[in-house]
Amino acid sequence: MPTDIPEPQAVCDSISRSAIFLVATLKAGPDSASTVRALCADVAALVRAVGTRAPTANLSCVCGFGSDGWDTLFGAPRPANLHAFREFGEGKRRAIGTPGDILLHIRADHMDLCFELASLLMERLRDAVSVVDEVHGFRYFDLRDMVGFVDGTENPSGREAVEFALISDQDPAFAGGSYVMVQKYLHDMVAWESLPVEAQERIIGRRKLSDVELADGVKPSSSHSSLTTIEKDGKEVKILRHNMAFGRPGAGEFGTYFIGYASAPEPIEQMLENMFVGRPPGNYDRLLDYSRAVTGGLFFVPSASMLEDLADRDPQASKEESPSAG
């Protein structure tokens, strides 16, 4: 990582075996905002306190804030590309936006550590926020998603992960930060499993067992891998996925929690437009005939050092100092 970029949160850490995703909205009143800001300074200490119980389990927590949440909690200045989740598609095939001011992405190789940290964080936040979505995710075999294909094959790693996932000189005041988009997908596994493997492979664009990408002459332009490949100026633009499987077999619930980090929302939004609208329009991702997005949120993840500094941010003062104030 370049030395001039502030220390990031654990955005580029390797994929864990377990994760808890918490999305919450702020309760009304100044005390709620003050409680959240105070926690910003203590998240790293709580991670260390719980993580020392199993040092090799790689416990981490990434904290992100939605557009409205940022304004309420911190005011100006604000990240250049932070905005409300943009919806795509229509009817049953639609990427919907759902409420969310705060995102906590907690992960480790043991669920008990995730659970303990989530409990401590919510003990601090309980009177200040309302949890609107909570998902406990797990690694499914060899990084498979719930529909049986390897997930995140094209994830960038090393310096490439830093390049694609973290902000640098494009928004210097927020360098070391990242944008993260989350969606919870539910799958119709009965309908999906009724398809022959060859049909599933054409929908995904890869072989199910080997994970080898289908040849260009075989892979449909409507395949998931085709539509989520983004190029700009002749170069592929990647995002960093930390997707997790989740479900409740007794309730017939089987899902994938999509979480993608990027230095700007644009590439993820382009992927969603390609999937839900089509490239060209109408040539949509056929996986959506079997998968439905039920949540959607966009958040900004400040650098680790900025997260601690935000504890002292006074949003009212930033309004008074703004040239447009009054």
Side-chain angles (χ1 to χ4, degrees):
M1 184 177 69
T3 56
D4 57 339
I5 294 182
E7 182 68 25
Q9 294 191 58
V11 169
C12 296
D13 283 14
S14 59
I15 296 176
S16 60
R17 298 201 65 85
S18 303
I20 293 179
F21 306 94
L22 288 163
V23 177
T25 55
L26 276 168
K27 293 181 179 179
D31 290 345
S32 296
S34 298
T35 297
V36 174
R37 283 195 296 269
L39 182 64
C40 290
D42 297 336
V43 171
L46 289 172
V47 172
R48 288 193 297 270
V50 177
T52 53
R53 304 182 196 181
T56 62
N58 304 311
L59 176 67
S60 66
C61 176
V62 172
C63 299
F65 304 95
S67 181
D68 291 343
W70 182 277
D71 289 342
T72 301
L73 290 165
F74 312 121
R78 53 181 279 127
N81 293 306
L82 181 58
H83 53 256
F85 181 90
R86 290 175 177 160
E87 298 189 346
F88 296 94
E90 58 185 11
K92 294 182 178 180
R93 191 177 69 252
R94 184 163 161 250
I96 63 169
T98 48
D101 295 321
I102 302 163
L103 169 70
L104 298 174
H105 176 198
I106 302 167
R107 51 186 159 161
D109 289 328
H110 305 309
M111 179 54 82
D112 54 351
L113 292 176
C114 297
F115 188 89
E116 178 71 3
L117 180 57
S119 299
L120 292 174
L121 291 168
M122 289 311 305
E123 184 179 330
R124 291 280 299 273
L125 291 174
R126 197 167 308 281
D127 294 333
V129 304
S130 298
V131 175
V132 293
D133 192 41
E134 178 176 350
V135 172
H136 293 213
F138 57 90
R139 185 192 296 178
Y140 197 42
F141 297 111
D142 50 340
L143 294 177
R144 306 261 164 180
D145 56 24
M146 193 59 74
V147 298
F149 286 76
V150 175
D151 201 352
T153 301
E154 300 300 327
N155 256 1
S157 60
R159 292 183 178 180
E160 194 178 45
V162 172
E163 174 190 352
F164 286 116
L166 299 182
I167 296 168
S168 56
D169 56 2
Q170 62 267 61
D171 193 4
F174 294 91
S178 182
Y179 292 91
V180 59
M181 191 174 290
V182 297
Q183 291 179 292
K184 184 165 69 174
Y185 285 88
L186 298 179
H187 309 302
D188 183 347
M189 293 304 295
V190 173
W192 177 255
E193 294 294 357
S194 70
L195 295 175
V197 170
E198 291 79 6
Q200 294 180 0
E201 291 175 339
R202 287 175 60 82
I203 290 172
I204 299 298
R206 289 182 174 275
R207 297 296 181 194
K208 192 169 188 178
L209 179 61
S210 68
D211 190 40
V212 174
E213 191 169 359
L214 298 182
D216 290 341
V218 177
K219 182 173 63 174
S221 60
S222 62
S223 70
H224 181 72
S225 64
S226 294
L227 293 173
T228 56
T229 298
I230 306 296
E231 291 188 357
K232 185 176 183 179
D233 300 326
K235 179 182 178 182
E236 184 176 355
V237 179
K238 296 186 177 184
I239 67 172
L240 184 61
R241 298 172 175 85
H242 286 289
N243 301 353
M244 283 277 168
F246 70 91
R248 296 181 298 154
E253 179 183 88
F254 302 91
T256 298
Y257 198 92
F258 165 76
I259 177 166
Y261 290 94
S263 60
E266 180 184 4
I268 310 179
E269 291 172 342
Q270 185 63 62
M271 290 179 186
L272 293 185
E273 183 174 3
N274 292 349
M275 289 172 58
F276 285 84
V277 178
R279 185 176 65 186
N283 191 50
Y284 68 91
D285 187 345
R286 295 314 193 262
L287 181 59
L288 296 176
D289 291 337
Y290 306 90
S291 302
R292 176 170 56 97
V294 295
T295 68
L298 174 66
F299 303 86
F300 175 73
V301 175
S303 67
S305 54
M306 177 176 277
L307 181 65
E308 292 191 12
D309 292 342
L310 288 173
D312 299 321
R313 180 75 71 90
D314 183 349
Q316 189 59 41
S318 68
K319 289 180 183 178
E320 294 170 356
E321 295 170 3
S322 171
S324 61

